[in-house]
Amino acid sequence: MKPETIIALASGAGRAGVAVIRLSGPASAAVLEALSGAGLPGPRQASLRALSDPRSGGALDDALALWFPGPASFTGEDVAELHVHGGPAVIAAVIDAALSVPGVRPAEPGEYTRRAFEHGKLDLAEAEGLADLVDAETEGQRAQALRQRRGALSGLYEGWRGRLIEAAALIEAEIDFPDEDLPGALAQRAGPLLEALADDMARHLDDAHRGERVRDGFRIAIIGPPNAGKSSLLNTLARREAAIVSDIPGTTRDVVEVRLTLAGFPVWIADTAGLREAADAIEAEGVRRALARAEEADLRIGVVEAEAAIPGSVRAMLGPSDLLVRSKLDLLGPPASRQETREPAGETPAVQVSAATGEGVAELEALLAARVADALGAEEAPALTRARHRRLVEAARAALLRAIPALDFGAELAAEDVRAASDQIGRLTGRIDVEDLLGEIFSSFCIGK
């Protein structure tokens, strides 16, 4: 049965100077000819066309028309694009006229990219990189997504798959040709190959979830006693009044979170309830949430007043990579009149800050940016970017760890685990039947992609 032709707005919704309407499928040429009343433009050449509704002949818009005959197109099918003026009424009228051509229907989310995958234009890991590239809001996200879109992860996984096939060939040869004149202990020769691959997988997994944090955001928790200046610090970093500031202790009961960009990466900074003996059940829940958020955070900022002692509850939660902020520096008087203060030996060095005057804020922001860059900065090795990837690599490595000792008891047992590992790696790029995964992956795409 002939596949349907799909149509959607490929550019952003809302008013714009230009909007791109994309078609993919066998009726793309018919739509282009019906709306323009002329033949197809040359492949990959822009042609100015006056569009009209084929039902009534009424004028629609003047547009640039482009024609990408398959398989040399994004989806591998015949593709047409109409670059029209970006008013909502123009877009709606052109799409409505195109839908009047038989065999044309609106596209589903991610359907263009799914068709590209099905026609071998990109694999699953590259498709996910494309989705991340469309969603990228920071420089770090863009760079990571582009590497994945260009095949950095796919190349790594296909290399692993090739090594698995090499090991499997040794094992299967011993099983299938036991009476042939083959070198002895073929299956045993697969052992070092599998051990080296399992080690490579372990190093890939041991990345502190760097790739996932680039996608989802680096998490920072601000902790400290009540009225220490935590909410004021959050507002200062956010450049807006995100949290309520009051002289009344315990104003913050829930976690207040803002999103920033530091060192080109997305960062979530959370203001939490003051750590103290709770006065009521609501405050107790706030303290519980504060402790939980601090435990989950990638970095903690302990906030205490300029000359106050560091509470034990704060000291216990700060590790070597965390930060201590001495707040309300302005209450100590002008800089010239202050005595230099240092934290006791063994304590986390403090950054002195005044949210009221801005003193020390630039230094704190620079330190935060450096910590984020150290944690998420680009490395030569491609990073895991999704929980799906991590789950499959873990499953593949577990299968290898079963296969290696199984070689001592029989090639058949080891062969089954090597096949299982190969299947898991194949699911990363779509090299095996992954129909059950396609709906989950492509449903998160925007309509025009």
Side-chain angles (χ1 to χ4, degrees):
M1 192 171 68
K2 222 175 186 183
E4 295 175 299
T5 297
I6 55 175
I7 185 171
L9 177 67
S11 52
R15 294 176 59 192
V18 175
V20 179
I21 297 171
R22 175 182 288 165
L23 295 116
S24 181
S28 297
V31 171
L32 202 52
E33 292 172 334
L35 268 63
S36 66
L40 297 174
R44 290 166 292 283
Q45 295 179 5
S47 177
L48 181 63
R49 299 295 172 94
L51 305 183
S52 58
D53 192 322
R55 297 165 295 189
S56 65
L60 294 171
D61 192 20
D62 295 323
L64 285 179
L66 293 98
W67 170 241
F68 305 92
S73 69
F74 173 70
T75 62
E77 303 174 323
D78 288 346
V79 170
E81 286 185 0
L82 294 170
H83 295 213
V84 302
H85 292 95
V90 175
I91 296 167
V94 172
I95 291 178
D96 180 65
L99 289 171
S100 70
V101 177
V104 182
R105 64 166 175 82
E108 298 292 333
E111 193 166 4
Y112 292 95
T113 308
R114 177 165 179 164
R115 290 189 179 197
F117 165 75
E118 290 171 344
H119 288 97
K121 293 293 181 177
L122 70 176
D123 62 33
L124 284 183
E126 292 168 343
E128 290 168 322
L130 179 57
D132 290 345
L133 193 58
V134 171
D135 291 337
E137 296 179 341
T138 70
E139 175 62 19
Q141 290 175 322
R142 180 202 63 78
Q144 174 173 279
L146 186 59
R147 286 194 297 271
Q148 185 171 336
R149 169 62 184 89
R150 289 179 171 176
L153 275 177
S154 300
L156 176 67
Y157 297 148
E158 283 303 304
W160 288 356
R161 192 165 177 268
R163 291 160 67 183
L164 281 168
I165 291 172
E166 180 184 355
L170 294 171
I171 298 170
E172 298 285 355
E174 187 166 307
I175 295 172
D176 295 339
F177 306 103
D179 301 324
E180 299 292 331
D181 186 19
L182 296 173
L186 274 179
Q188 290 298 322
R189 288 166 55 185
L193 297 176
L194 299 180
E195 289 173 357
L197 184 52
D199 289 343
D200 287 349
M201 290 180 178
R203 283 190 290 271
H204 189 54
L205 291 166
D206 187 22
D207 66 347
H209 295 260
R210 177 172 61 89
E212 291 132 297
R213 287 191 292 169
V214 171
R215 289 185 70 245
D216 302 330
F218 186 88
R219 298 200 172 268
I220 298 174
I222 301 176
I223 61 173
N227 235 26
K230 300 185 300 299
S231 297
S232 295
L233 180 62
L234 178 76
N235 291 344
T236 299
L237 294 172
R239 306 289 199 275
R240 63 184 177 88
E241 297 296 318
I244 297 173
V245 175
S246 168
D247 292 334
I248 303 171
T251 303
T252 302
R253 298 294 187 96
D254 206 346
V255 176
V256 179
E257 200 167 42
V258 298
R259 189 178 186 277
L260 307 177
T261 298
L262 292 174
F265 296 100
V267 175
W268 291 97
I269 301 186
D271 178 25
T272 63
L275 301 180
R276 67 172 180 179
E277 193 69 34
D280 54 51
I282 296 176
E283 187 177 5
E285 176 61 18
V287 172
R288 186 196 68 78
R289 294 187 183 190
L291 294 172
R293 182 57 59 93
E295 187 68 29
E296 297 166 357
D298 302 308
L299 174 70
R300 283 151 290 278
I301 301 175
V303 178
V304 294
E305 291 191 37
E307 294 187 317
I310 304 174
S313 57
V314 175
R315 183 183 288 108
M317 301 204 72
L318 295 181
S321 61
D322 295 324
L323 294 175
L324 176 66
V325 168
R326 288 286 186 178
S327 64
K328 304 183 182 181
L329 186 59
D330 54 290
L331 298 182
L332 300 183
S337 65
R338 298 177 200 149
Q339 292 184 347
E340 184 179 358
T341 59
R342 295 181 180 273
E343 299 304 318
E347 295 282 9
T348 304
V351 182
Q352 297 187 336
V353 168
S354 170
T357 66
E359 186 179 353
V361 172
E363 179 187 354
L364 175 61
E365 289 177 329
L367 279 172
L368 291 175
R371 298 293 175 86
V372 172
D374 286 344
L376 305 185
E379 297 178 1
E380 291 186 7
L384 290 156
T385 59
R386 293 175 183 249
R388 182 182 83 87
H389 301 173
R390 187 172 297 277
R391 184 176 66 250
L392 290 171
V393 174
E394 288 173 342
R397 184 169 183 269
L400 291 186
L401 295 179
R402 293 193 302 269
I404 293 166
L407 289 169
D408 295 330
F409 300 100
E412 291 83 359
L413 292 174
E416 184 61 31
D417 285 320
V418 171
R419 278 193 292 269
S422 183
D423 285 348
Q424 299 302 322
I425 298 303
R427 287 174 179 268
L428 287 164
T429 59
R431 291 289 184 171
I432 61 170
D433 184 11
V434 289
E435 186 65 29
D436 56 326
L437 295 174
L438 298 185
E440 175 188 345
I441 290 172
F442 292 113
S443 64
S444 64
F445 280 63
C446 58
I447 293 291
K449 233 352 175 176

